[in-house]
Amino acid sequence: MSEFGIPPYVDGRTGDKNLSKVVNRALLLDLLRARSGASRASLAKESGLTKVTVSSQVAELIALGIVKETGAGASDLGRKPVMLEIDGAAGYALGVSIATDRLHAVTMDAAGATVRDEDCPLPDASPESVVGAIASVVRAAKKKYRQSRFGLFGVGIAVPGAVERETGRVVRSAKLDWSDVPLKKAVARHFDGILRVGNDATLATIAERELYAPGADDFVCLLIDEGIGSGAYINGAIHYGHNGQFGEVGHMTIVHGGPRCPCGNEGCWDLYGSELALRQALGAARSGPVPDAAEAIALAGARPAWAEGSFRDFVDYLTTGVVSVVNSMAPTTLAINSAILAASPAMFEALKAAVADRAMSHVSACELRLSSLGKAAPAVGACMAAAERFFEGLVLRGGD
Amino acid sequence: MSEFGIPPYVDGRTGDKNLSKVVNRALLLDLLRARSGASRASLAKESGLTKVTVSSQVAELIALGIVKETGAGASDLGRKPVMLEIDGAAGYALGVSIATDRLHAVTMDAAGATVRDEDCPLPDASPESVVGAIASVVRAAKKKYRQSRFGLFGVGIAVPGAVERETGRVVRSAKLDWSDVPLKKAVARHFDGILRVGNDATLATIAERELYAPGADDFVCLLIDEGIGSGAYINGAIHYGHNGQFGEVGHMTIVHGGPRCPCGNEGCWDLYGSELALRQALGAARSGPVPDAAEAIALAGARPAWAEGSFRDFVDYLTTGVVSVVNSMAPTTLAINSAILAASPAMFEALKAAVADRAMSHVSACELRLSSLGKAAPAVGACMAAAERFFEGLVLRGGD
DNA sequence: TTAGTTAGTATAGTCAACTAACAAATTCCA
DNA sequence: TGGAATTTGTTAGTTGACTATACTAACTAA
């Protein structure tokens, strides 16, 4: 469950008196969050801890207000268990993803249920406007959830660009035309809880894995829209490269000696396999205007004859990139978040078949999946990242 | 120090009474292995543990025979510390790498010092011959080190191909023309200690990191010879993909629509940037025979005019692949093990400059290094992998 | 020779998990 | 209807490893 490979409550820590308590609490919280329908006895069985240990931990979690008893459960024989669950109403996390013209804001309760999903228009994409809009969403949520035990405990922000992990500084966002924006610092003046700022593809990957391959150690997620973004769990941990922007797989060369890309490299996959590239190809194919995103999606569903070549090329370019990713990283699951592919099951099937044909046989066990989270993925992932940190804090509390 | 992200003594483990002892012992062993010149007091300072805890752990490690006192150390003031170190003579690890015509065998003592490095010719590359040769090397080492506390405690075997991690089965090795060879099981009949079988590039990566970037979380290693192999540490853990063969980066496409590769993919980097590809280009350039590896290395040093174009193309192809790797994985250090580049510093410098020019600016902090381990890397890494497991065992012993 | 400093040990206390025994609640079956 | 069996959860006491505190040991410098 943890987004981190080495759980932060273990990493770099000496084996002091609290270590086992902390490890066990994390284990129990993970079990409680993963399945509903747990009791003290079932937790003991699944965790390998004794009933006594579980009871004492559960008592503390209930006292903290994060776990609640929900009455008697079913049993074939013997005393009925007292069912336990994370108390969703204990607190809330807000996830915001930034686009050029709007914010997408998702709210989740402590149990992980989405309780709100809204779009806020932005006057412009300047850092000031964005920070202002985030501040107002945060303010509203803070007020709304003031009554609950932990209130609005965390905010996650998904940025389409490179983010320095430690400081939450946006190093560079081509989409927003930002350079060196201290986003976290700016938002922190309006919110003093858990605040996480990350790359949108990275955060989307957190959400997609939770949905499609919870617990998978090696999981890659591709986001295909204007450009091609990606994120990856490797060895069970989400991978942040430099500046939290792992996975510029869009800027692998697929055409050696090809045209220069704005990124500085040549013949990048992004120039051939992105939605933007497809739209430009469609425009050229009909010798007319370049379709916008909505029209391209409609065309992908309709598949008019004149567009066939463009779509076939698109799948072909996607195949080349996906095979490169599969061969070089050997994930067990690869999720693709693409509105175009979502609109055309046939195209996705063609891609799957082509990848299976070309990928190295011993790694082709990799499962290709189409994401269904769509545009919401980064905001949902931002929520999850904030919640993750919240639970990490709970683990340390009372144990440190 | 651990080759694993989540230390195996923590992963999946509940916080029982021994957990802290195990964690602390691992911590102390890592410190002892990393630097020489430790004392109980310095270990306490560096580990954050109390002197009492350190003393009691050290007493057990000395009783186990893995740590020894080496007399008084220097001090400016006050009582002189009793210096401690891993007792190299406590035991030995053997690392073997398999080539078509010979075995390369490296022996290390428990302190990590290489004590022997030999080549054993092979009559042929059949599984029977290889297993027989390994068995005889192992038998000799077992006999030689019989007197020491732990004797020959482990054997690591580096295979040029895909290896199933759990079982040590060689799924496929094109170089050796092996399919489905239960190598670990076969060798286990001649050796009952720690036995690790792995992909050669993966094991070489372990060795290269230890040398060039000990402790680096994100580290990629490329091995360029007949083909292009690679290994990577991501999030501080060596990454095994499917079948222990992460990093078929050689089979990323760099020429979309290019020629079919034996692997099933098209336009693979391997077809353009490997030593084999270079040698074929050199042969074509002089309209003569394809040079063998030794001649190619000599030519790389001499750089005759007729070969200039081939070498320039070679660097160009390498650049494309390296930039793709750097952009998509964002490692902090990338080590290249290539006899050709080692023979021509100018070529390596040209590669470095071209990569810096084309890689995305925010990830170009990645440091490119030329490996000096050369052909020995896989065998050295195999030793290290065996030693790693040995120390993991020590950590659990007396704590479980 | 004595004060000051650093290394390492001895002893007692604390914490959290464990074991064992028990109380509570429920079903099955005579 | 009333035990026997079974499962849930708690209470009481034990254990192991770390910590704090206080000590001895060894050494430098003035």
Side-chain angles (χ1 to χ4, degrees):
Chain A
M1 278 288 287
S2 170
E3 166 201 349
F4 298 87
I6 304 182
Y9 40 84
V10 172
D11 184 28
R13 191 182 167 129
T14 59
D16 59 11
K17 262 180 304 200
N18 285 324
L19 180 63
S20 25
K21 188 168 184 184
V22 162
V23 165
N24 290 338
R25 177 172 291 190
L27 181 60
L28 292 174
L29 273 175
D30 275 358
L31 287 173
L32 278 164
R33 293 174 71 197
R35 345 184 194 309
S36 56
S39 65
R40 290 171 178 81
S42 76
L43 287 174
K45 215 166 280 168
E46 289 183 68
S47 66
L49 296 169
T50 62
K51 290 186 293 178
V52 182
T53 302
V54 171
S55 279
S56 105
Q57 288 271 16
V58 166
E60 287 184 43
L61 292 173
I62 289 175
L64 265 176
I66 188 62
V67 167
K68 66 176 179 191
E69 299 187 331
T70 59
S75 78
D76 291 341
L77 194 63
R79 175 172 164 181
K80 288 199 170 88
V82 177
M83 302 312 283
L84 302 166
E85 64 179 38
I86 300 288
D87 186 357
Y92 298 84
L94 176 71
V96 178
S97 77
I98 308 173
T100 45
D101 57 344
R102 60 186 211 297
L103 295 182
H104 188 152
V106 170
T107 312
M108 273 185 183
D109 70 15
T114 301
V115 294
R116 198 182 165 88
D117 187 322
E118 58 187 323
D119 256 22
C120 318
L122 278 176
D124 59 83
S126 71
E128 295 72 32
S129 300
V130 170
V131 170
I134 292 175
S136 102
V137 178
V138 167
R139 200 175 315 117
K142 235 161 71 175
K143 192 170 164 195
K144 183 167 172 132
Y145 301 116
R146 197 161 36 186
Q147 301 306 326
S148 80
R149 172 75 179 80
F150 294 99
L152 181 72
F153 57 71
V155 172
I157 303 175
V159 182
V163 179
E164 199 180 71
R165 185 140 74 103
E166 292 74 26
T167 60
R169 251 181 63 253
V170 178
V171 178
R172 172 84 202 130
S173 167
K175 230 183 229 169
L176 302 176
D177 194 24
W178 286 10
S179 282
D180 265 322
V181 174
L183 184 60
K184 182 171 176 178
K185 211 166 131 190
V187 175
R189 293 192 307 156
H190 303 96
F191 180 71
D192 58 1
I194 291 159
L195 188 49
R196 304 198 64 180
V197 179
N199 170 259
D200 57 352
T202 303
L203 293 172
T205 302
I206 293 175
E208 301 283 6
R209 185 182 82 141
E210 201 56 39
L211 245 162
Y212 292 112
D217 277 350
D218 299 308
F219 174 84
V220 171
C221 173
L222 297 177
L223 282 97
I224 298 168
D225 51 7
E226 295 292 294
I228 298 176
S230 72
Y233 278 80
I234 294 188
N235 291 321
I238 185 86
H239 178 46
Y240 305 89
H242 281 296
N243 297 333
Q245 195 175 27
F246 160 81
E248 283 299 353
V249 298
H251 297 282
M252 295 187 308
T253 295
I254 68 164
V255 177
H256 178 78
R260 194 92 177 176
C261 173
C263 80
N265 195 11
E266 294 167 4
C268 290
W269 185 22
D270 212 281
L271 300 175
Y272 301 89
S274 66
E275 229 178 87
L276 184 64
L278 169 66
R279 281 161 45 206
Q280 286 166 343
L282 287 169
R286 69 176 171 193
S287 310
V290 170
D292 64 9
E295 193 188 350
I297 291 168
L299 286 170
R303 296 289 284 266
W306 62 265
E308 204 47 43
S310 306
F311 283 121
R312 206 171 36 235
D313 287 350
F314 178 65
V315 170
D316 209 31
Y317 288 127
L318 284 184
T319 303
T320 289
V322 169
V323 168
S324 291
V325 170
V326 169
N327 279 356
S328 66
M329 309 209 226
T332 43
T333 308
L334 189 148
I336 303 185
N337 185 322
S338 153
I340 299 276
L341 288 180
S344 167
M347 222 145 77
F348 179 66
E349 288 307 317
L351 173 66
K352 245 172 110 161
V355 169
D357 178 46
R358 280 175 52 184
M360 297 188 74
S361 59
H362 66 276
V363 296
S364 59
C366 173
E367 191 190 353
L368 242 62
R369 311 204 52 157
L370 203 53
S371 145
S372 62
L373 276 173
K375 296 285 179 208
V380 171
C383 271
M384 289 178 176
E388 201 60 51
R389 181 120 330 152
F390 170 68
F391 280 99
E392 284 162 22
L394 283 187
V395 163
L396 294 176
R397 188 179 310 205
D400 223 33
Chain B
M1 279 288 287
S2 170
E3 167 200 349
F4 298 87
I6 304 181
Y9 41 83
V10 172
D11 183 28
R13 190 182 169 133
T14 59
D16 59 11
K17 264 181 297 209
N18 285 324
L19 180 63
S20 25
K21 186 168 185 184
V22 163
V23 166
N24 290 338
R25 177 171 291 192
L27 181 60
L28 292 173
L29 273 175
D30 275 358
L31 287 173
L32 279 163
R33 293 175 70 197
R35 344 183 196 310
S36 56
S39 66
R40 291 171 179 82
S42 76
L43 287 174
K45 216 166 282 167
E46 289 182 67
S47 67
L49 296 168
T50 61
K51 290 188 293 179
V52 180
T53 303
V54 171
S55 279
S56 107
Q57 288 272 15
V58 166
E60 287 184 43
L61 292 173
I62 290 176
L64 265 176
I66 189 63
V67 167
K68 66 175 178 191
E69 298 186 331
T70 59
S75 78
D76 291 342
L77 195 62
R79 175 170 163 181
K80 289 199 171 86
V82 177
M83 302 312 284
L84 302 167
E85 63 177 39
I86 301 287
D87 186 357
Y92 298 83
L94 177 70
V96 178
S97 77
I98 308 173
T100 45
D101 58 342
R102 60 187 210 297
L103 296 182
H104 189 153
V106 170
T107 312
M108 274 186 183
D109 68 16
T114 301
V115 294
R116 198 181 164 89
D117 186 322
E118 57 187 324
D119 257 21
C120 317
L122 278 176
D124 59 84
S126 70
E128 296 70 35
S129 299
V130 169
V131 170
I134 292 175
S136 103
V137 177
V138 167
R139 200 176 316 116
K142 234 160 71 174
K143 191 170 164 194
K144 183 168 172 127
Y145 301 115
R146 196 160 37 186
Q147 302 306 327
S148 80
R149 172 73 179 82
F150 295 98
L152 181 72
F153 57 71
V155 172
I157 303 174
V159 182
V163 179
E164 198 179 73
R165 186 140 74 103
E166 292 73 27
T167 60
R169 252 182 62 253
V170 178
V171 177
R172 172 84 201 126
S173 167
K175 228 182 231 172
L176 301 175
D177 194 24
W178 286 9
S179 284
D180 265 322
V181 174
L183 184 60
K184 182 171 176 179
K185 209 167 132 191
V187 175
R189 293 191 307 153
H190 302 96
F191 181 71
D192 58 3
I194 291 159
L195 188 49
R196 304 198 64 181
V197 179
N199 170 258
D200 56 353
T202 303
L203 293 172
T205 302
I206 293 174
E208 300 282 6
R209 184 181 83 142
E210 203 57 37
L211 245 162
Y212 292 112
D217 277 351
D218 299 308
F219 174 84
V220 171
C221 173
L222 297 176
L223 282 97
I224 298 168
D225 50 6
E226 295 292 295
I228 298 176
S230 71
Y233 278 80
I234 296 190
N235 291 320
I238 185 90
H239 178 47
Y240 305 89
H242 281 296
N243 297 335
Q245 195 175 27
F246 160 81
E248 283 298 352
V249 297
H251 297 282
M252 295 186 310
T253 295
I254 66 163
V255 177
H256 179 79
R260 195 91 179 176
C261 173
C263 80
N265 195 12
E266 294 166 4
C268 291
W269 184 23
D270 212 282
L271 300 175
Y272 301 88
S274 65
E275 227 177 89
L276 185 64
L278 168 67
R279 281 162 44 205
Q280 286 166 343
L282 287 169
R286 70 177 172 192
S287 309
V290 170
D292 64 10
E295 192 187 352
I297 291 168
L299 287 169
R303 297 288 284 268
W306 61 265
E308 204 47 43
S310 306
F311 283 120
R312 208 171 34 236
D313 287 350
F314 177 64
V315 170
D316 209 32
Y317 289 127
L318 284 185
T319 303
T320 289
V322 169
V323 168
S324 291
V325 169
V326 169
N327 279 355
S328 65
M329 309 211 225
T332 42
T333 308
L334 189 148
I336 303 184
N337 186 322
S338 153
I340 298 276
L341 288 179
S344 167
M347 220 146 77
F348 179 65
E349 288 307 317
L351 173 66
K352 247 173 108 163
V355 169
D357 178 47
R358 280 175 51 184
M360 299 188 72
S361 59
H362 66 276
V363 297
S364 59
C366 171
E367 191 190 354
L368 242 64
R369 311 204 52 157
L370 203 53
S371 144
S372 63
L373 275 173
K375 296 284 179 209
V380 170
C383 271
M384 290 178 176
E388 201 61 51
R389 180 121 330 153
F390 169 68
F391 280 99
E392 284 162 21
L394 283 188
V395 163
L396 296 176
R397 188 178 308 203
D400 226 35

